[in-house]
């Protein structure tokens, strides 16, 4: 009699799960499936935990976080050998990634409408203006309120063509593409960054901090008509570049803003 006791119904086949039947449970909502009903389409294993596909889609459970450390690993010997500020930096970045979530376009519109006085940024690796710019503009048009700043990486173009890629209500600022000396030509793919600044804001282009070489591409502007000065930038690390050299230049940009005591908003693609 005990073996025939019904525990619950399987959410996949809707049949009874009886005592003694192998089953699997979602770690988030506790729904139950027969083991034999489990497939890659209805159960996802993430960080050694099982989640039903409904929870995965509803709560954005699956996320990219290469710096995630389970609690039992946070004090391992490898980390203990690193400087304390390095460990704190990793934890800070990891926490940011853990708290990221996906938003639908409708949710983004609602969020921006409910916080109109806050600065907002949109950033995307566009993988070529020529093929994808129109699609990005259409997507942005579906959001009623305008972002304060729009950053794009890998535009595969530069200021010579920026008039071809305009967005209503914004002023564009394009950085040069990487010049390949060995080929005596500009790089045609995987180069170029730009910013679109909402016409509500006045800005100055910082040419000293706007760089373009094989290790880093950056475009930095200073917004001047806000109660507190704000520095806005887009930074791209070419995957074939030297990471150490990128970090040196990146640190210079951060240090410069720290000295000026400007608020800083950076859109960064490190192509990790």
């Amino acid at each position: 009699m005990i073996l025939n006791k019904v525990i619950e119904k399987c959410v996949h086949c809707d049949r009874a799960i009886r005592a003694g039947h192998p089953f699997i449970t979602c770690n988030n909502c506790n729904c139950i499936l027969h083991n034999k009903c489990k497939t890659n389409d209805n159960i996802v294993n993430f960080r050694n935990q099982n989640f039903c596909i409904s929870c995965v889609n509803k709560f954005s459970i699956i996320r990219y976080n290469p710096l995630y450390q389970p609690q039992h690993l946070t004090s391992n010997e490898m980390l203990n050998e690193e400087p304390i500020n390095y460990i704190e930096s990793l934890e800070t970045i990891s926490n940011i990634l853990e708290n990221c979530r996906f938003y639908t376009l409708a949710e983004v519109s609602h969020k921006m409408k409910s916080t109109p006085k806050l600065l907002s940024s949109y950033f995307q690796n566009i993988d070529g203006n020529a093929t994808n710019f129109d699609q990005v503009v259409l997507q942005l048009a579906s959001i009623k309120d305008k972002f304060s700043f729009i950053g794009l990486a890998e535009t595969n173009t530069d200021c010579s063509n920026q008039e071809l890629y305009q967005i209503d209500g914004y002023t564009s600022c394009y950085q040069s593409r990487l010049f390949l000396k060995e080929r005596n030509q500009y790089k045609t793919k995987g180069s170029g960054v730009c910013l679109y600044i909402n016409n509500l804001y006045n800005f100055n282009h910082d040419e000293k901090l706007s760089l373009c070489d094989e290790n880093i591409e950056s475009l930095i502007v200073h917004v001047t008509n806000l109660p507190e000065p704000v520095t806005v930038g887009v930074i791209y690390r070419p995957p074939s570049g030297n990471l150490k050299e990128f970090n040196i230049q990146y640190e210079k940009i951060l240090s410069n803003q720290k000295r000026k005591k400007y608020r800083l908003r950076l859109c960064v693609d490190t192509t990790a």
Side-chain angles (χ1 to χ4, degrees):
M1 294 294 292
I2 296 176
L3 290 177
N4 287 327
K5 182 181 179 181
V6 175
I7 300 175
E8 216 168 322
K9 282 189 175 183
C10 173
V11 296
H12 178 74
C13 69
D14 203 35
R15 294 179 180 176
I17 297 177
R18 300 185 182 277
H21 284 184
F23 63 87
I24 189 167
T25 305
C26 172
N27 283 81
N28 189 64
C29 71
N30 296 317
C31 69
I32 299 178
L33 292 83
H34 291 107
N35 259 11
K36 63 181 181 180
C37 291
K38 173 188 174 294
T39 69
N40 291 334
D41 293 327
N42 58 32
I43 289 289
V44 174
N45 185 275
F46 181 64
R47 295 177 183 164
N48 297 318
Q49 292 185 311
N50 295 309
F51 300 96
C52 69
I53 196 65
S54 176
C55 285
V56 168
N57 293 333
K58 185 176 181 180
F59 300 106
S60 303
I61 288 171
I62 309 301
R63 58 188 62 249
Y64 174 75
N65 185 358
L67 302 178
Y68 174 77
Q69 287 281 342
Q71 290 299 316
H72 67 284
L73 294 179
T74 53
S75 60
N76 65 51
E77 292 182 1
M78 288 183 64
L79 283 178
N80 288 339
E81 292 175 359
E82 299 290 352
I84 186 65
N85 60 338
Y86 177 76
I87 298 174
E88 289 176 351
S89 295
L90 292 183
E91 291 177 347
T92 299
I93 297 171
S94 179
N95 288 335
I96 291 172
L97 292 173
E98 281 299 290
N99 288 301
C100 287
R101 58 157 291 191
F102 293 100
Y103 289 89
T104 64
L105 290 176
E107 288 174 326
V108 172
S109 292
H110 177 75
K111 196 80 173 176
M112 293 180 66
K113 188 174 182 180
S114 62
T115 55
K117 294 183 179 180
L118 296 180
L119 295 177
S120 57
S121 303
Y122 173 97
F123 179 57
Q124 182 171 330
N125 183 316
I126 194 171
D127 193 26
N129 277 21
T131 53
N132 298 313
F133 186 81
D134 290 344
Q135 182 179 352
V136 169
V137 172
L138 285 174
Q139 186 180 66
L140 291 170
S142 66
I143 301 173
K144 292 182 180 180
D145 292 273
K146 292 182 179 293
F147 286 95
S148 307
F149 314 105
I150 299 170
L152 301 176
E154 289 197 31
T155 61
N156 298 338
T157 189
D158 51 35
C159 55
S160 64
N161 292 313
Q162 72 182 69
E163 293 302 321
L164 299 175
Y165 304 107
Q166 294 301 303
I167 302 177
D168 288 343
Y170 291 86
T171 300
S172 62
C173 188
Y174 273 71
Q175 174 64 299
S176 299
R177 285 175 293 160
L178 178 63
F179 185 77
L180 303 173
K181 295 180 180 179
E182 65 277 12
R183 299 182 185 177
N184 196 34
Q185 66 178 37
Y186 288 99
K187 193 174 182 181
T188 57
K189 185 172 177 59
S191 181
V193 294
C194 72
L195 278 170
Y196 287 82
I197 299 91
N198 192 303
N199 286 340
L200 292 173
Y201 308 111
N202 300 328
F203 68 94
N204 296 320
H205 177 203
D206 192 325
E207 295 186 2
K208 290 184 179 180
L209 296 180
S210 298
L211 311 169
C212 184
D213 59 36
E214 64 273 15
N215 302 312
I216 185 172
E217 296 185 28
S218 64
L219 178 62
I220 306 295
V221 303
H222 305 295
V223 178
T224 57
N225 63 329
L226 288 168
E228 294 180 67
V230 175
T231 294
V232 182
V234 56
I235 296 176
Y236 172 69
R237 181 177 80 85
S240 59
N242 184 293
L243 178 58
K244 183 178 180 180
E245 291 300 319
F246 170 84
N247 287 334
I248 291 172
Q249 295 301 327
Y250 189 36
E251 181 62 33
K252 287 182 180 179
I253 294 173
L254 297 179
S255 298
N256 183 276
Q257 301 315 300
K258 189 174 182 180
R259 288 195 304 272
K260 291 183 177 180
K261 297 182 179 181
Y262 283 8
R263 287 192 295 159
L264 184 62
R265 301 180 68 93
L266 292 178
C267 304
V268 183
D269 181 356
T270 59
T271 61

